[in-house]
């Protein structure tokens, strides 16, 4: 996973590092018409697993 991008609606996503299943879940929110680098797409980021994706608006 490299990034989350939205169009008409904001989203919220739960992510966890792929290499550490016991790591705490990180929740990322992205506003309407937004873009957020996550996991390998972020500076120094590690491979990431998407656990849940929610529309929030």
């Amino acid at each position: 996973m490299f990034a989350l991008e939205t169009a008409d609606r904001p989203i919220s996503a739960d992510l966890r590092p792929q290499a550490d299943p016991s790591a705490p879940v990180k929740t990322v929110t992205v506003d309407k018409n937004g873009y957020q680098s996550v996991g390998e797409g972020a500076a120094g980021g590690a491979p990431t697993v998407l656990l849940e994706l929610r529309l929030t608006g």
Side-chain angles (χ1 to χ4, degrees), residues 5-49:
E5 185 173 13
T6 63
D8 296 335
R9 295 184 176 185
I11 62 169
S12 175
D14 290 342
L15 307 168
R16 179 175 287 153
Q18 183 175 354
D20 187 2
S22 64
V25 173
K26 178 180 179 183
T27 300
V28 177
T29 57
V30 184
D31 293 330
K32 177 180 172 182
N33 298 314
Y35 182 90
Q36 177 69 46
S37 296
V38 296
E40 296 173 275
T48 303
V49 175

